[in-house]
Amino acid sequence: MRAVQFITPGSAATALKIVDLPTPKPKATQILLKIKAFGLNRSELLSRLYGRAPIGPVPSGRVLGVEATGVVEETGAEVSVSSYPKGAIAMTAIGGMGIAYDGGYAQYCCVEASNVRVLKSQNTQLSWEVLGALPEMLQTAWGCLFRCLKLKAGDKLLVRGGTTSVGLAAAAIAKRHGAAVMSTTRRADSTTHNLLKDNGAEHILVDDDKDLRPAVTAVWPTGADKVLELVGGSSLASSLACLAPEGICCFVGLVGGSPAITDFSPLAMIPTGAYLTAYAERTFQASNFPLDELVQDIEDGSLPVKPGKVFQLNEIVEAHECLEKGESGGKIVVLTGM
Ligand SMILES: NC(=O)c1ccc[n+]([C@@H]2O[C@H](COP(=O)([O-])OP(=O)(O)OC[C@H]3O[C@@H](n4cnc5c(N)ncnc54)[C@H](OP(=O)(O)O)[C@@H]3O)[C@@H](O)[C@H]2O)c1
């Protein structure tokens, strides 16, 4: 099979190598997934740049990729064939993929069956490009909105880092749930602002790293009920300041650099009565989000989720360069040619 290994920290051209490897054999509790498409993620950019993902070191020779979408090819001896029939459309993500063991940048991968979800809607008409964009993006967006932010219809939601793939998906899901959405971007161009509007943002703020609260309260006088913080430690204090009384901020991102918060001072940063939480689910199984409902909503057009850019496996260097520049306008998806 064709696969992409991480070799040594550095540029996409030097750190990533397309290789031929033997197709792996599933252990008793595993599934061999024939991968049709996979999404790219920030944690893989960190793995490639530093040889370290947020959850641990990445050894040389590791096949990267924290998610994969494809079909069940083979099941291990202890896996129920009726739950995971050969050829069924299936998705997997996180749980150590691409970090502790070989991941999704390949034509096949072996993962624990418990971390694989078979789609209920096996006759979906969605393309592999769209399906490949979904597992990590949707589990993160849904987990942040509903498990952490307790989003309700009528809530005013600020998405800090609105053009991230998670931010776009979260805005679309939140709008469909009846929330009002305000999204930030550092860009002032109409293409970016139209992208945000098409994905559910009613209000757009250009983020210039200054105090955002005056701009937020100009629209929502008491502030945002919920804030999804996708940029990172550098913008957390200013995001917390945008909260309405008893509002909740969910910290999840690191596109702005480090997730660490310099000089964290809860008394100074968290408004009285407001809440700060974080989302970092460890397994796809535990994320327990309504994948089938969301796929149905995408299929019937009520959820406008689609990939930002699509590449082929042999274009992995170009795909990673696009990820690094942050210019994809949504999730980057790679097709494996399988
Ligand atoms: N904790 C978890 O479980 C989990 C899971 C998945 C993702 N995440 C995190 O969620 C965030 C979003 O991930 P993603 O894959 O959706 O991101 P992405 O699509 O790769 O994000 C690209 C966007 O990031 C923005 N950006 C890039 N550099 C920035 C900077 N220095 N300051 C502010 N914005 C910057 C750009 O927005 P503009 O140019 O429009 O400003 C760009 O459109 C990431 O931080 C990722 O690590 C966390």
Side-chain angles (χ1 to χ4, degrees), residues 41-42 136 140 163-166 185-187 192 230-231 252-256 279-281 323 326 330:
N41 293 280
R42 285 269 142 181
E136 175 65 349
T140 308
T163 59
T164 61
S165 68
V166 174
T185 169
R186 296 164 305 169
R187 299 168 201 246
T192 302
L230 290 156
V231 173
V252 68
L254 41 77
V255 283
Y279 184 80
E281 192 48 88
L323 175 71

Side-chain angles (χ1 to χ4, degrees), residues 81-123:
V81 179
S82 58
S83 300
Y84 300 94
K86 183 168 179 178
I89 300 172
M91 296 180 180
T92 187
I94 50 179
M97 273 185 89
I99 300 164
Y101 56 91
D102 283 348
Y105 285 20
Q107 293 178 319
Y108 292 91
C109 71
C110 283
V111 278
E112 288 299 310
S114 58
N115 214 38
V116 174
R117 290 184 63 174
V118 167
L119 277 197
K120 284 204 182 106
S121 161
Q122 284 294 313
N123 54 1

Side-chain angles (χ1 to χ4, degrees), residues 173-194:
I173 295 169
K175 183 178 180 202
R176 172 139 174 73
H177 198 70
V181 180
M182 184 184 294
S183 292
T184 73
T185 169
R186 296 164 305 169
R187 299 168 201 246
D189 62 280
S190 60
T191 308
T192 302
H193 290 209
N194 287 337

Side-chain angles (χ1 to χ4, degrees), residues 28-59:
T29 53
Q30 289 185 329
I31 282 174
L32 175 67
L33 200 63
K34 184 196 280 184
I35 301 171
K36 299 280 190 178
F38 57 87
L40 297 199
N41 293 280
R42 285 269 142 181
S43 80
E44 294 140 15
L45 179 61
L46 298 180
S47 299
R48 191 261 276 173
L49 287 171
Y50 309 112
R52 174 165 275 280
I55 65 161
V58 179

